[in-house]
């Protein structure tokens, strides 16, 4: 968990995408997260987190539905939503925290 603290304690927004390979909606979000990362470049850090490989983190953050998207900035959760998002909507949300 200490690594997670370092990960989210950034001056730029950190967009976390929680997923599993077995969840169809999560798989659909993967290219969308790549599009967001490409569109915003160095203004955001986009990280995909497989809940099957990180069950303690998923439990600590109470990740229930997949995909779950979370934005942190300077260690503070700024936004969270479960379910699919399109790239433009997600870019618009992230830009509020840049």
């Amino acid at each position: 968990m200490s690594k997670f603290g370092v990960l989210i304690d950034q001056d730029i927004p950190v967009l976390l995408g929680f997923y599993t390979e077995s969840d169809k909606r999560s798989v659909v979000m993967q290219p969308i997260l790549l599009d967001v990362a490409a569109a915003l470049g160095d203004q955001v850090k986009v990280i995909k987190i497989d809940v099957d490989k990180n069950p303690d983190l998923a439990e600590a953050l109470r990740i229930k539905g997949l995909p779950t998207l979370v934005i942190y900035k300077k260690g503070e959760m700024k936004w969270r939503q479960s379910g699919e998002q399109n790239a433009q909507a997600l870019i618009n949300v992230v830009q509020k925290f840049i």
Side-chain angles (χ1 to χ4, degrees):
M1 288 296 258
S2 63
K3 289 181 183 178
F4 181 72
V6 171
L7 186 70
I8 63 170
D9 193 20
Q10 305 280 325
D11 289 333
I12 61 171
V14 179
L15 171 61
L16 304 175
F18 290 89
Y19 74 100
T20 65
E21 291 295 331
S22 61
D23 180 69
K24 193 177 195 179
R25 294 184 325 154
S26 293
V27 172
V28 168
M29 281 303 300
Q30 300 309 308
I32 293 170
L33 291 174
L34 292 174
D35 289 347
V36 172
L40 297 174
D42 293 342
Q43 298 178 84
V44 66
K45 187 170 196 140
V46 178
I47 301 166
K48 299 182 292 183
I49 299 176
D50 187 334
V51 296
D52 289 337
K53 295 178 183 173
N54 299 280
D56 293 341
L57 178 60
E59 186 175 325
L61 294 177
R62 296 185 177 109
I63 303 298
K64 304 288 185 215
L66 294 175
T68 294
L69 305 165
V70 184
I71 297 174
Y72 280 90
K73 186 172 182 180
K74 297 183 181 178
E76 183 181 331
M77 185 184 299
K78 299 291 187 180
W79 178 86
R80 176 179 173 148
Q81 185 164 330
S82 293
E84 297 171 58
Q85 294 283 314
N86 68 50
Q88 190 57 55
L90 207 45
I91 289 167
N92 292 343
V93 170
V94 172
Q95 285 179 326
K96 294 177 185 176
F97 304 108
I98 293 176

